Amino acid sequence: MKTIPLPDGECVPVLGQGTWRMGENTRAHKDEVAALRLGIELGMTLIDTAEMYGEGGAEEVAADAIEGQRDRVFVVTKVYPHNASRTELPKACERSLKRLRIDAIDLYLLHWRETNTRLEETVEAFEKLVMGAVCSRTRRSGRSPNVMTEPRRKSRSRGCCVSRE
């Protein structure tokens, strides 16, 4: 599988597996886990999920799929914008860690940006998670440059990046 380097030098597969719509139907759980496991076997070791997918159910599906092979998988999950404050972000992260049954998230994303919480506050909260080693990297997901007017320099951490991408 072809890989691409992240800013910190770690290489991740260019093709990963998304989990949107997974975890919504308990009858599909076994098949969803099997699909993710097959993808891992085929080299798609990046798993992208989010707390909003199945209201956490997709993270639970991902947890079952990566069980026993965490060291092979790069886990990406995303936080709801309404959980992006200094008080709510750590709680949301802990819930995701618990559902994923892992000690650290490889890449933790802000799913999209809302203006209810100042960007500086969100970046500060993400930086604390990186410093506390519960996530390795953080970034904003989605493509809406019109709401990302603050410059990239808001973050002082190598593991936290504010981007328009």
Side-chain angles (χ1 to χ4, degrees):
M1 173 70 61
K2 185 176 176 183
T3 62
I4 186 168
L6 296 176
D8 66 2
E10 179 160 355
C11 291
V12 296
V14 295
L15 182 61
Q17 300 184 79
T19 61
W20 184 48
R21 304 299 307 258
M22 288 187 177
E24 295 178 3
N25 180 342
T26 55
R27 291 177 296 184
H29 184 88
K30 186 190 284 188
D31 291 337
E32 292 168 348
V33 169
L36 291 174
R37 285 184 178 162
L38 176 60
I40 293 167
E41 287 175 31
L42 296 173
M44 292 185 292
T45 56
L46 185 146
I47 308 258
D48 174 78
T49 191
E51 70 174 341
M52 74 173 280
Y53 299 167
E55 290 302 319
E59 289 178 327
E60 293 170 350
V61 169
D64 288 343
I66 68 174
E67 187 173 33
Q69 53 185 344
R70 172 63 176 109
D71 58 329
R72 295 182 59 204
V73 179
F74 189 90
V75 177
V76 179
T77 194
K78 296 175 282 301
V79 63
Y80 270 122
H82 64 262
N83 286 332
S85 70
R86 96 176 29 92
T87 57
E88 295 305 312
L89 188 62
K91 295 175 193 174
C93 183
E94 283 302 317
R95 289 189 300 267
S96 287
L97 288 167
K98 185 176 181 178
R99 285 188 294 265
L100 288 161
R101 299 192 309 267
I102 58 177
D103 296 326
I105 296 165
D106 297 311
L107 178 59
Y108 197 33
L109 303 173
L110 174 59
H111 210 140
W112 67 87
R113 173 101 196 285
E114 286 183 352
T115 55
N116 296 341
T117 304
R118 290 179 14 261
L119 181 61
E120 293 90 346
E121 180 179 340
T122 300
V123 170
E124 179 183 301
F126 272 121
E127 286 177 329
K128 286 183 179 177
L129 293 175
V130 172
M131 302 277 279
V134 293
C135 61
S136 304
R137 297 159 198 83
T138 61
R139 196 172 174 106
R140 185 191 62 82
S141 177
R143 293 184 177 268
S144 50
N146 56 331
V147 298
M148 292 301 292
T149 57
E150 294 89 346
R152 298 183 120 203
R153 69 179 183 277
K154 295 288 185 202
S155 173
R156 296 172 301 281
S157 167
R158 276 187 56 98
C160 186
C161 182
V162 179
S163 172
R164 294 171 125 178
E165 302 178 272

